[in-house]
Amino acid sequence: MTDHSEGDRPTSARSSRSNQPSDFVLNWFAIFYFWDFIVAQATEGKPDWKTVSRFLLSPETLCKRWAKADELVGVRFKCGRGGTTRYVMLDIDITSLYHPYKDVQAFRKLLEVMESLGLCRSLTIRSSYSEGLHVYFPIPEPVPCFKLAVAVANAVQDAGFRVKDGQLEIFPNVKFPRSLYKAHRLPLQQGSYVLDKNLQPVHDSIELLVNSWHEAESQQDLELLKQAIAVAKARTFNASGDAAEWRERLEATLRNGWTSEGQTNRILKESCIYARVFQGKDWDEVESWAVATLPSLPGYQQFCNHKRNIKRRVKDWVTTNRRSNRYHPYESLPKEPKTPLAPPNHVRSSDALQRIKDAIAQITEQFGSLPEKVRDRQSLICKTAQCSASTLRKYLELWHPDFLGEEYVTDQPTGVSAILEQHFANAEPDVSELPAQAEYVTDESKGVSAIVDDGSDLQGSNEKLLSQAVTDPPLLSVNRQLGLHSSFNIAQPLLQEVSNCRERTRREKPIETVCNQTFERKQATEDLSSYRAIAVHSIVKRRSDNALFKVKQINSNGTAWLKWLNQYVLLVDICLPLIEIELHESNRVT
């Protein structure tokens, strides 16, 4: 196969990528799944892929990312119930035993196996400059992802093919429960071309690809495929032979190490299993042992292509298998109880997360964007996803404007000042109780106003009045209720009048007055003065036992919703009065 540089492509598609894509092309991009996509910088070497889970794409944004010359983008498949796909893809690396350069008969036999499932037409695409092959089998209507993966995997394995990284990979893949499907890059990006029957590059035009895609869809045997999917059953892993034979096989892997590329996943997995099962290590010890042992195995420096991220890959494997609790030390297997590392409702949590993602995608597609107000946004997502608000708040990074970096309209004031404002917002002022001859002196240049009466010591210049004014932002009563557009400052003489009003109310029936409201608000502000610094996302401690929490929400009734900072406490959020908590010294999450 002849490699083509950027300047001599068979058919240039740059002009079509720079223009506005047609609806015909956008409808094709709509068949992909828009959550948990992958991105990487475009390079002729091995890309450093990263998963993006904070937000979802749309057909338009996916098409724009695909068209960028300096970026690569890839997609996954939808997990959980209702996860469907419109295609299946086989990935065959250039070093694979099944690549037509190595064995053209094996490649043709592989296509015959797919045809026996009803997938009679395919599109062969060179994946990148590495000259690996991505063989797509379009499907005319959606079919279940996992069932399709099982049917294809069983068929190719029964025909003698080995499904493993670097040799033959199937997308969607047969995955573990509650894990993501593998991701693959989209076709016709850097170094990618559509190939003809002789495996020669012919074009990289997205319009021509979509035309060929729909033509292949129309020629598939959908009924035969549905029959194969209906009878497909996932095969569980069982080690053949007794424990001694299994151990010998794992130890042989450690002795031999790497003998070629594409073996990292298998060697990493078998090394961790050996440490867990036959050395009896706990999961933390398995991770540290594997990180220290793998670089010392034969062939690591020469053939391992994941040296830069080997620690992360070991950590991911240990995390996944720790959660499933699949492997146990061999001697203690009958006695070791299952470690409760996951909450008992982990399955429902996974389903709720998927429903929330689907709801966000549905709202975005229907209305163009999520509502601006946080409360409206939360209510609409909860209604669409059929979940509670407390469940939705566990995934703030998916929808809350603070995590998405959006400008938004606040639903209501927050903090202690807002509590006071909301408490007194509906109070009606009784002007009859104002001091006689009272006047308002306002200095608009400084945004300050004061209330004075003829008997006070504040008669004189505005500067003198302003210098004696009492500044207290939470006190919102008199100036706002009487329509003054200035800062919320109340002059000192009013406090004396407030005191007189309170003396009268001890002997008479209490009356709602401006003076009483002002005093009560001043008193509430003084009582809560030590809690003004408490805000959303701050770190606080409970006075009774010094337990640490993170503030998630401050309520208008003087309470706050708190999240435990102790990772071993498997409890839901709790609500405590502000008087029972205080700001922690560190005031940050570690």
Side-chain angles (χ1 to χ4, degrees), residues 83 143-154 172 181 228-234:
V143 295
C145 284
F146 187 75
K147 283 284 189 178
L148 176 63
V150 171
V152 175
N154 290 351
Y181 284 105
I229 291 175
V231 300
K233 293 184 178 180

Side-chain angles (χ1 to χ4, degrees), residues 475-500:
L475 303 182
L476 309 174
S477 59
V478 180
N479 291 15
R480 174 172 287 184
Q481 294 172 359
L482 296 182
L484 294 181
H485 301 288
S486 60
S487 61
F488 311 127
N489 301 304
I490 300 177
Q492 186 68 35
L494 183 59
L495 298 180
Q496 183 61 42
E497 186 64 25
V498 171
S499 178
N500 296 337

Side-chain angles (χ1 to χ4, degrees), residues 80-115:
R81 293 175 295 180
T84 59
T85 178
R86 291 279 301 275
Y87 68 97
V88 61
M89 188 264 284
L90 304 181
D91 182 7
I92 306 173
D93 286 358
I94 186 64
T95 57
S96 170
L97 298 176
Y98 315 128
H99 196 284
Y101 281 1
K102 295 287 183 66
D103 191 342
V104 67
Q105 294 301 325
F107 180 72
R108 291 174 180 173
K109 181 181 178 181
L110 184 59
L111 297 182
E112 292 174 359
V113 172
M114 300 300 290
E115 186 173 353

Side-chain angles (χ1 to χ4, degrees), residues 353-526:
L353 174 60
Q354 189 61 49
R355 293 200 308 273
I356 291 171
K357 288 183 177 182
D358 294 342
I360 294 173
Q362 179 180 341
I363 295 169
T364 305
E365 180 180 357
Q366 182 176 357
F367 300 104
S369 63
L370 298 174
E372 291 186 357
K373 290 188 177 182
V374 176
R375 180 176 296 174
D376 295 343
R377 181 177 297 192
Q378 174 180 291
S379 175
L380 184 57
I381 296 175
C382 287
K383 181 178 179 180
T384 307
Q386 298 182 346
C387 69
S388 64
S390 60
T391 299
L392 183 61
R393 284 195 295 271
K394 297 178 182 179
Y395 308 104
L396 293 174
E397 66 277 3
L398 297 180
W399 63 274
H400 199 282
D402 283 343
F403 291 84
L404 300 179
E406 299 177 4
E407 295 292 336
Y408 64 98
V409 180
T410 56
D411 299 322
Q412 59 184 5
T414 58
V416 177
S417 299
I419 296 174
L420 297 176
E421 179 177 357
Q422 184 173 353
H423 180 72
F424 294 100
N426 298 325
E428 293 292 334
D430 189 351
V431 185
S432 62
E433 288 293 328
L434 282 175
Q437 307 292 330
E439 294 181 357
Y440 288 83
V441 180
T442 302
D443 187 341
E444 294 295 340
S445 64
K446 296 187 177 181
V448 180
S449 62
I451 302 177
V452 300
D453 61 79
D454 292 338
S456 69
D457 296 333
L458 295 177
Q459 298 295 324
S461 65
N462 287 354
E463 293 294 334
K464 180 178 179 182
L465 292 172
L466 298 174
S467 65
Q468 299 186 43
V470 179
T471 301
D472 199 345
L475 303 182
L476 309 174
S477 59
V478 180
N479 291 15
R480 174 172 287 184
Q481 294 172 359
L482 296 182
L484 294 181
H485 301 288
S486 60
S487 61
F488 311 127
N489 301 304
I490 300 177
Q492 186 68 35
L494 183 59
L495 298 180
Q496 183 61 42
E497 186 64 25
V498 171
S499 178
N500 296 337
C501 290
R502 292 201 64 204
E503 285 292 327
R504 291 197 297 271
T505 57
R506 292 176 183 175
R507 301 185 299 272
E508 303 172 2
K509 183 178 179 179
I511 301 176
E512 279 290 311
T513 65
V514 173
C515 300
N516 286 341
Q517 293 169 24
T518 305
F519 180 86
E520 291 169 1
R521 183 167 306 153
K522 179 66 177 176
Q523 186 65 42
T525 304
E526 292 174 351

Side-chain angles (χ1 to χ4, degrees), residues 5-19:
S5 63
E6 189 73 18
D8 59 353
R9 289 185 169 186
T11 300
S12 178
R14 283 295 171 192
S15 59
S16 63
R17 296 189 182 192
S18 60
N19 299 331

Side-chain angles (χ1 to χ4, degrees), residues 170-201:
I170 302 172
F171 295 85
N173 61 295
V174 181
K175 67 180 189 67
F176 289 109
R178 299 179 299 281
S179 62
L180 296 177
Y181 284 105
K182 286 183 178 180
H184 67 85
R185 70 171 73 198
L186 289 178
L188 303 191
Q189 298 184 88
Q190 186 186 55
S192 178
Y193 304 98
V194 175
L195 306 181
D196 59 13
K197 294 182 179 181
N198 298 320
L199 301 180
Q200 295 301 313

